[in-house]
Amino acid sequence: MAVPSDDMNEPSKLKAIPSVDLVLRHVEEQGLLRTIPRPMAARAVRALLRRERERMLASPDEAADGEALRAGILRAAEDAVVRAGRVGLVPVVNATGIIVHTNLGRAPLAEDAVAAIQAAAAYSNLEYDLSTGQRGSRGLLVRDALLEISGAEGALVTNNNAAAVLLALNTLAEGREVVISRGELIEIGGSFRLPEVFERSGSRMVAVGTTNRTRLSDYEGAISNRTAAIMTAHWSNYEIVGFVERVDVGDLAALGRRCGVPVIHDLGSGIALDPARIGLAGEMTIAESVRAGVSVATVSGDKLLGGPQAGIAVGERDVIERMGRNPLLRALRPCKLTLAALEATLEHHVRGRATSEVPVLRMIAAPIEGLRERASRLAEALNVRWPSLASAEVVDLVSHVGGGAAPERGIASVGIAVASRSLSAGELASRLRGADTPVIARTKDDRVLLDLRTVAAHQDDLILAAVDGALGDAT
Ligand SMILES: *Cc1c(COP(=O)(O)O)cnc(C)c1O
């Protein structure tokens, strides 16, 4: 009786797959278990072996050379374990030139904010009044600082701006209507889509006007006794140009007052200083929004405020108090570490030293001459070290604020362009990401571009080390 050859082949091929124990012993011999706990290495190995088994079963015609298969699997296991050991959060050098880079954790914190997190990590007077020995309320200092920078009557903090918007809509408009311009039904990275936020808040969205033009009369025409609020949102990371008409926030606030309808303003970035000081003249500040008369303005803590992930709502006392009594807030409130970091960040703003102490603002305001000097030093060091392998050149670049603020506005910057004679730009960039402290860079015209505006001066050595490592391996 003839037995189909595949049936003979398959089990023998599968037998070439080594056991989890054997593979783990192999990676241990290679010294790879020093940086990753064994159970996590085992998990990576098991996943790899499962993939190998499936691959073999899926391609029965493939010739089976047991030895080669085994060696290939052991090599793949080394890579898999190394990769698995790198999945934790590690600090990276942001050489992309995008200052508020959401994928890289948005705002790097001020030193004082980091110290405040450390202090708050122990027992603290989070909800405890030290003078009376009684229960106190959370985040009083934060609230005072927020009132100071915004000029508002009330302020509260949430886990992020999306939470602040959700809380405002749910508090003011559950079961009722909110009027908003069609041009502002935005989606922001990470699937924050305003229409869906409306739905989850339990409010009904009434879109007025058109994508590019909405007039005050459009809002007026939609207001009825079912209307609970008017909402206006920053366009964030997109821009409508050309034949465009928008209603001024002040005019909207006046309409709201006339009709007895609160106005919610989602500002997005949240600037708390004169934007002209950081080259962003024309961007609306938190205080300007409050002065324009909106009932509640919401911003992110980790965009241009330069603090931790948080949402901030400032506005009329009774509106903020109602939001504060909403049971949803218990689920949306920030953690103590966030409050500590936010408090320290806001103190820099209140004391008027944010452009020197808050990294995001310091980077935006950094004079270009200093960046050019650092770029020259870096380029020279690399050219001296790798005369035949690579070339580094000082280049003019354009940085961006990121985080949805001023998307069309670039900031003149300087960096270096590195080209390797043996590696493609993509390969070089990938090796820079593989450095002990990964360096994240752009590529263009087969060169790697490292923008120094988003790199702290003390990190220049990390760039040198990463390029050294990448080119050293290429020899
Ligand atoms: C960034 C942004 C949000 C979301 O803020 P998170 O703090 O990330 O939740 C909402 N609205 C606007 C206009 C934004 O720019």
Side-chain angles (χ1 to χ4, degrees):
M1 212 168 56
V3 179
S5 64
D6 274 354
D7 280 359
M8 291 283 283
N9 207 14
E10 260 181 35
S12 74
K13 254 177 32 177
L14 289 180
K15 256 188 257 154
I17 297 181
S19 71
V20 174
D21 278 346
L22 190 143
V23 177
L24 275 178
R25 257 200 314 281
H26 170 78
V27 294
E28 184 163 26
E29 279 160 21
Q30 306 296 310
L32 297 176
L33 290 195
R34 278 198 289 271
T35 51
I36 176 173
R38 178 180 292 269
M40 290 171 71
R43 183 192 297 273
V45 167
R46 258 184 252 113
L48 172 75
L49 298 184
R50 199 162 44 238
R51 282 196 304 276
E52 285 297 324
R53 197 170 298 117
E54 280 163 10
R55 198 179 54 78
M56 285 182 195
L57 291 173
S59 54
D61 297 338
E62 203 181 292
D65 172 353
E67 267 315 297
L69 268 174
R70 230 175 152 79
I73 289 174
L74 290 181
R75 254 196 321 277
E78 291 172 25
D79 288 346
V81 167
V82 168
R83 266 201 310 277
R86 294 178 60 106
V87 293
L89 283 183
V90 292
V92 304
V93 175
N94 173 11
T96 64
I98 297 167
I99 293 156
V100 178
H101 197 308
T102 296
N103 301 152
L104 302 184
R106 289 200 183 154
L109 293 177
E111 265 173 47
D112 288 358
V114 175
I117 287 179
Q118 177 105 34
Y123 285 131
S124 70
N125 56 338
L126 180 67
E127 292 183 10
Y128 186 80
D129 186 330
L130 289 171
S131 56
T132 63
Q134 306 286 311
R135 186 190 165 143
S137 81
R138 262 182 188 235
L140 275 185
L141 276 176
V142 170
R143 200 194 60 194
D144 286 350
L146 288 173
L147 300 184
E148 186 62 35
I149 61 167
S150 67
E153 302 167 347
L156 66 75
V157 183
T158 56
N159 167 59
N160 59 13
N161 186 25
V165 171
L166 180 69
L167 184 67
L169 286 170
N170 177 267
T171 304
L172 295 175
E174 189 177 20
R176 300 180 64 204
E177 291 179 357
V178 180
V179 180
I180 185 168
S181 161
R182 280 205 171 78
E184 295 178 355
L185 297 176
I186 49 171
E187 169 172 331
I188 301 164
S191 64
F192 175 89
R193 309 177 101 186
L194 263 186
E196 290 166 12
V197 177
F198 277 107
E199 202 178 306
R200 290 297 159 131
S201 75
S203 65
R204 217 154 347 105
M205 177 184 92
V206 177
V208 298
T210 61
T211 303
N212 57 326
R213 307 191 86 188
T214 303
R215 304 181 184 83
L216 194 63
S217 56
D218 294 321
Y219 289 95
E220 254 172 326
I223 289 176
S224 71
N225 56 8
R226 292 181 304 276
T227 309
I230 297 170
M231 167 132 186
T232 179
H234 190 283
W235 276 339
S236 199
N237 43 9
Y238 95 118
E239 202 133 295
I240 300 176
V241 293
F243 192 53
V244 175
E245 190 171 339
R246 299 186 81 178
V247 178
D248 176 76
V249 173
D251 293 341
L252 264 192
L255 172 67
R257 266 195 307 280
R258 251 193 342 269
C259 306
V261 172
V263 174
I264 302 168
H265 186 192
D266 175 11
L267 267 167
S269 251
I271 301 181
L273 45 71
D274 175 5
R277 283 184 57 197
I278 51 170
L280 297 178
E283 288 290 311
M284 194 177 218
T285 67
I286 306 173
E288 279 167 349
S289 171
V290 169
R291 264 205 306 282
V294 303
S295 306
V296 52
T298 71
V299 303
S300 290
D302 53 356
K303 291 181 179 172
L304 286 177
L305 221 45
Q309 176 190 309
I312 288 161
V314 295
E316 293 166 358
R317 186 174 293 111
D318 67 309
V319 170
I320 297 294
E321 275 174 10
R322 280 170 64 198
M323 287 170 68
R325 286 195 301 271
N326 188 330
L328 251 190
L329 179 58
R330 188 65 170 73
L332 302 177
R333 74 180 186 182
C335 86
K336 61 181 183 178
L337 305 180
T338 299
L339 283 175
L342 187 58
E343 186 185 317
T345 307
L346 290 172
E347 189 169 336
H348 287 315
H349 282 280
V350 170
R351 291 179 187 270
R353 57 186 187 206
T355 50
S356 62
E357 299 298 326
V358 175
V360 161
L361 300 168
R362 190 169 59 214
M363 289 188 283
I364 294 177
I368 201 159
E369 303 80 50
L371 304 181
R372 200 177 293 283
E373 266 169 40
R374 287 169 51 205
S376 302
R377 271 202 305 276
L378 271 176
E380 198 181 309
L382 289 173
N383 286 329
V384 166
R385 239 186 286 208
W386 304 101
S388 60
L389 266 186
S391 68
E393 191 192 345
V394 177
V395 284
D396 289 311
L397 298 170
V398 179
S399 307
H400 289 276
V401 173
E408 295 295 287
R409 208 171 338 205
I411 305 172
S413 187
V414 173
I416 55 172
V418 182
S420 157
R421 306 233 155 81
S422 54
L423 304 172
S424 70
E427 175 60 23
L428 179 56
S430 152
R431 289 186 183 202
L432 295 180
R433 291 197 301 275
D436 284 340
T437 301
V439 173
I440 317 297
R442 283 183 283 167
T443 61
K444 193 177 175 219
D445 301 333
D446 220 32
R447 299 198 294 180
V448 172
L449 302 182
L450 298 133
D451 188 326
L452 292 185
R453 185 170 291 283
T454 45
V455 178
H458 67 85
Q459 294 177 319
D460 286 356
D461 286 344
L462 293 172
I463 290 186
L464 278 182
V467 177
D468 275 355
L471 294 176
D473 287 348
T475 51

